[in-house]
Amino acid sequence: MWSLAVADIDSPPPAGLSAVLAANRPQLVRFFAGRTGSVAEAEDVVQEIWLHIADPVAAPIANPLAYLHRIGMNIVLDRVRANGRRVRRDTGYVDATISVAGSEAVDDAPSAFETVDGRQRVAQLAAALAGPPEGAMRVFRRHKIDGLSHAEVAAEFAISRSAVEKHIAVALRHLRKALDD
């Protein structure tokens, strides 16, 4: 039986920088593991070097191994800078969104229970605003929600200012009763 793998047939032996990288891969991984403090990070750097040298270089390279080291160090520096930016961005976000009381971080966001309770209160208020008495609620909406003055509401509905005040008082009593239930 034939024992050749497909990769053996289709891919020619590495040439140029690829050959230097393939021959020196273990040494490069050790070198970058010392620089990054992580073998996994070093493997990523060597893989990224491979991607960088996939494009052919226009001029001949006098010292290919030194060239690969320089590409790798540039990649390491880019990663360190990106990590620093990420840490600064995340720290800024945490500083802006979380307050500290003593030595403990305190999240000012409402709890899930408070959020549900608030939604229920809003639903109760909406139901109360939709309920009777319609005339009083219409005057209440124009004054309290739309921001019109008593005089403007009185002129719009052709009623006295005293009637506007009475309608608002009726609406407030109705809303208190609806929200207390």
Side-chain angles (χ1 to χ4, degrees), residues 43-91:
E43 291 281 352
D44 289 345
V45 169
V46 171
Q47 183 65 32
E48 202 166 327
I49 292 171
W50 201 283
L51 294 173
H52 276 77
I53 65 170
D55 297 330
V57 180
I61 298 170
N63 189 344
L65 188 57
Y67 181 73
L68 294 176
H69 277 89
R70 174 49 45 206
I71 290 174
M73 285 307 296
N74 288 343
I75 292 168
V76 169
L77 288 173
D78 288 345
R79 286 172 175 240
V80 166
R81 289 179 186 138
N83 190 37
R85 285 190 303 270
R86 183 175 38 257
V87 166
R88 283 191 302 278
R89 180 185 62 236
D90 292 348
T91 301

Side-chain angles (χ1 to χ4, degrees), residues 9 28 38 53 56 68 81 90 93 133 151 155 160 166:
I9 296 171
L28 289 167
S38 164
I53 65 170
L68 294 176
R81 289 179 186 138
D90 292 348
Y93 174 77
S160 68
K166 289 177 185 171

Side-chain angles (χ1 to χ4, degrees), residues 77-181:
L77 288 173
D78 288 345
R79 286 172 175 240
V80 166
R81 289 179 186 138
N83 190 37
R85 285 190 303 270
R86 183 175 38 257
V87 166
R88 283 191 302 278
R89 180 185 62 236
D90 292 348
T91 301
Y93 174 77
V94 168
D95 290 346
T97 58
I98 296 177
S99 56
V100 176
S103 63
E104 296 292 321
V106 178
D107 188 5
D108 293 333
S111 70
F113 294 114
E114 292 170 334
T115 302
V116 169
D117 183 52
R119 288 180 183 160
Q120 289 174 343
R121 300 277 296 167
V122 168
Q124 283 178 323
L125 181 60
L129 285 172
E134 183 56 38
M137 293 310 292
R138 198 171 38 233
V139 169
F140 177 83
R141 278 190 212 101
R142 293 298 286 155
H143 175 63
K144 293 292 184 181
I145 296 174
D146 297 337
L148 297 178
S149 69
H150 286 197
E152 292 169 327
V153 173
E156 181 178 325
F157 292 112
I159 57 175
S160 68
R161 288 185 63 188
S162 174
V164 168
E165 292 169 3
K166 289 177 185 171
H167 279 305
I168 291 173
V170 167
L172 285 173
R173 264 194 312 275
H174 173 72
L175 291 174
R176 273 193 212 104
K177 183 175 183 272
L179 292 177
D180 287 341
D181 290 342

